[in-house]
Each structure stands twice: as structure tokens, then as C-alpha cells.
Amino acid sequence: MFEQIKLNYSFNALEPYIDTLTMETHYLKHLAAYTKNFNEAAKAAGLEDKSAEWILANWETAVPQEYKTAIRNNGGGFLNHNLYFQHLSPKGGGEPSGALAAKIKETFGSYENFKDLITKAAMGQFGSGWAWLSANAAGDLKLSTSPNQDNPILETGGVWTPILGIDVWEHAYYLKHLNLRGDYLKDLFHVLDWKQVEKNYADKMNSGK
């Protein structure tokens, strides 16, 4: 059974950057619904014994046609939101360190340039979707965006795995920031837990795939 991430912080802990009502609605309503629907679809498709990552990576070939849409939308929503909530923290902010910081500098020139580029990607995603920092098993990094609840795992067959995901669906920010997506993105970096993103990066390289 797929389970939504257990938060290690309270719903009001990210104030004033992300408001309490948004956190409650996002986690208790949106993620809960994706989790429930994904479990139901995976069971109906006979895939409940597979990992969520495997299901999405093999979505085109392994999922029966009648369940493809439900798996794509709800499996993506499940994985994407678990990642998103995982790397938020009241102790967030600052900059990455270690191997990830070095690779960001090598790939994007500097942390500030990376931050500018991923912000532009998130601002440029038309309608609902996500902006990603992803890694492959070799430790390479790339930026991308996805519509709706798609993600790089689904799009690349698992070659690229997101280690940082920025939710730009309106439900992620509209209660506090209204239509000012840029203000939400600025605030988000204040609660972004780079230690967790660094761990995600290390985990991808150690996975060997």
C-alpha cells in the first residue's frame, strides 16, 4: 500500500512563507486524494506489489490501457507531492553544500544562476505543473518542467529522477499569494531543505540506475 509522507513539522511551521490553510488543504486533501486513488488504480491494474517509481517508469508498457490515465495522474500526484513535502522545512533556506553544491556550480555556473534558471522555468510553466531539478545515476543534473502531475521518472523511463520539485499548481500558493506565482517562488526558497535535496541526490547516484 502506498502511503503519503509523514510530515516532521506542523502545518503552521512554514509560516509566514507558506500559510497554514494552504498546508492543511494541500496535504490533507490533495495528497490524500492522490494517494487513495493511486492505491485503487494500482490494485485494479495488478501492480500493487511494484514500487511507485517502477510503475511510473514503466507506465507505457506495464500498465493496462484502461488504467493508464488513473495511474499517470494519481501516481504522479502521489510521487510529486511526497517529494515536495519531503524537502520543505521550517529550518530550510540557505544554499546546498557538498557534492550537490559542486555539481550545481559545474552545471549552471553558480547557485544564484541555478536559482534564477529554476525560477524562470517555474514561472514559464503554463497552467498547472511542476519545475524540476533532476539527477541521473552518473550524477548529472538538469532542469525541466512537466505539465499536470507528470514528472521526469514517467517522461524518461526512470533515467532521470527529480531531487527537487516545485509545485506550481495554483492550489500550492493561491490562498496566500493569489496569482503572484513569483512571490510564492521567492518564499519557497526560505523553507527549502537543501540537506534533504542533497540526500536525494546521493540516493540517486547510489541507486546505480
Side-chain angles (χ1 to χ4, degrees):
M1 181 175 181
F2 303 107
E3 297 183 358
Q4 67 188 86
I5 185 174
K6 302 296 189 294
L7 302 184
N8 59 8
Y9 51 86
S10 61
F11 291 127
N12 65 357
L14 305 183
E15 294 270 10
Y17 303 109
I18 302 179
D19 61 288
T20 304
L21 183 56
T22 292
M23 286 296 298
E24 291 174 342
T25 306
H26 205 171
Y27 180 84
L28 295 174
K29 302 296 185 182
H30 291 280
L31 176 52
Y34 285 125
T35 303
K36 176 179 180 293
N37 293 335
F38 182 43
N39 272 298
E40 290 176 353
K43 183 176 181 180
L47 296 169
E48 68 268 33
D49 61 331
K50 303 293 186 181
S51 70
E53 291 81 3
W54 187 94
I55 293 172
L56 288 186
N58 295 277
W59 168 80
E60 288 193 291
T61 57
V63 178
Q65 183 63 40
E66 62 267 35
Y67 303 113
K68 281 187 183 295
T69 298
I71 291 289
R72 179 177 187 172
N73 292 339
N74 293 290
F78 169 78
L79 271 182
N80 297 352
H81 284 91
N82 269 6
L83 175 67
Y84 177 77
F85 286 115
Q86 178 195 63
H87 59 50
L88 299 181
S89 170
K91 298 179 181 179
E95 299 184 11
S97 61
L100 178 59
K103 196 65 178 181
I104 285 176
K105 183 177 180 181
E106 176 188 329
T107 306
F108 304 107
S110 68
Y111 170 73
E112 287 303 322
N113 194 48
F114 154 77
K115 185 177 177 182
D116 182 57
L117 289 171
I118 197 170
T119 298
K120 287 180 178 177
M123 287 294 294
Q125 170 57 40
F126 181 77
S128 301
W130 294 76
W132 307 105
L133 174 65
S134 297
N136 63 15
D140 301 319
L141 298 175
K142 77 169 183 176
L143 295 175
S144 65
T145 59
S146 302
N148 302 314
Q149 294 297 351
D150 288 355
N151 59 45
I153 296 174
L154 181 146
E155 294 162 343
T156 69
V159 174
W160 290 90
T161 297
I163 60 173
L164 165 62
I166 298 179
D167 190 347
V168 292
W169 283 64
E170 288 183 346
H171 64 236
Y173 62 88
Y174 217 78
L175 292 178
K176 175 178 174 63
H177 297 91
L178 302 179
N179 63 326
L180 303 177
R181 184 184 287 186
D183 288 353
Y184 155 69
L185 296 172
K186 289 177 184 177
D187 280 350
L188 188 67
F189 280 96
H190 288 282
V191 292
L192 181 57
D193 183 359
W194 280 108
K195 294 297 182 186
Q196 181 61 55
V197 181
E198 291 163 17
K199 181 180 183 302
N200 296 342
Y201 181 59
D203 288 347
K204 176 58 182 179
M205 289 190 292
N206 290 336
S207 72
K209 59 180 180 180

